[in-house]
Amino acid sequence: MTHRHKLAAAGLAALALTAGGTAAAQTAYPPAPQPLMISPARGQTAEQLSRDQYDCETGASSRSGWHPSQGTATSAPTKPQAGARVAGAARGAARGAVREKATDSSDRELENPSEAGARVGAAAGGVQQRQGRRENRRTTQQEQAALQQKQQNYYQQFRSCLQSRGYTVQ
């Protein structure tokens, strides 16, 4: 078997090892808040309620860093890493082929360094791919938690503002 044939065989082996190794992206959305019931407690007019509601929305938004018009979706999850196993297998096969070319067959510990390199490279690529996916999930969870905190702060500020102006908020 020639050197090129061994590299090609190692690449095909790497492809076979990685078949079915893709994962679907997960979309993360925090729960939508319940609508608030606002009732005038001191006989305020509808016009006054509208002005107060606008003022309280503006203030709550500036203090919390969030407004309901921004929605509840976090940033789009990054595309899951794919191909790290194939790339690792290819790198490993290439290294094995170089070692095979540079050493005498009687000095080698492995019978086929190209194949062994492809296997090790595919395993290392798989580890790298899984770490990337875990990191993406962790980032998405942190973004969700930050968004939920901003939403809670907004509604707390909004509710407090309206209550201080004489409204009942439920």
Side-chain angles (χ1 to χ4, degrees):
M1 190 180 235
T2 68
H3 184 66
R4 285 187 183 172
H5 286 120
K6 286 184 180 183
L7 283 175
L12 289 174
L15 284 174
L17 287 171
T18 59
T22 60
Q26 297 177 355
T27 308
Y29 298 100
Q34 297 294 325
L36 298 175
M37 301 280 293
I38 304 167
S39 307
R42 297 184 194 148
Q44 297 95 328
T45 64
E47 184 180 299
Q48 183 65 41
L49 169 63
S50 180
R51 271 196 313 267
D52 288 340
Q53 196 168 355
Y54 176 79
D55 291 344
C56 290
E57 280 180 8
T58 304
S61 177
S62 67
R63 285 188 292 278
S64 69
W66 183 81
H67 189 271
S69 64
Q70 291 175 315
T72 58
T74 58
S75 65
T78 59
K79 184 178 178 183
Q81 274 189 321
R85 290 180 189 179
V86 173
R91 283 190 301 270
R95 286 183 185 131
V98 168
R99 179 158 303 193
E100 187 172 343
K101 191 79 168 165
T103 60
D104 188 49
S105 62
S106 61
D107 293 339
R108 288 189 218 133
E109 294 176 15
L110 300 170
E111 187 175 317
N112 190 343
S114 299
E115 185 179 326
R119 288 182 183 168
V120 169
V127 168
Q128 182 182 18
Q129 191 169 324
R130 284 188 297 278
Q131 285 174 337
R133 288 182 181 150
R134 275 197 235 47
E135 211 171 278
N136 287 345
R137 278 194 297 272
R138 198 174 311 120
T139 301
T140 301
Q141 290 169 347
Q142 289 170 347
E143 288 175 356
Q144 284 178 340
L147 179 61
Q148 286 175 341
Q149 184 63 46
K150 285 181 179 182
Q151 289 174 333
Q152 288 173 355
N153 289 343
Y154 171 85
Y155 285 109
Q156 183 180 20
Q157 295 285 332
F158 182 66
R159 187 176 282 119
S160 296
C161 177
L162 286 174
Q163 288 172 342
S164 71
R165 293 178 183 218
Y167 294 93
T168 303
V169 183
Q170 297 176 345

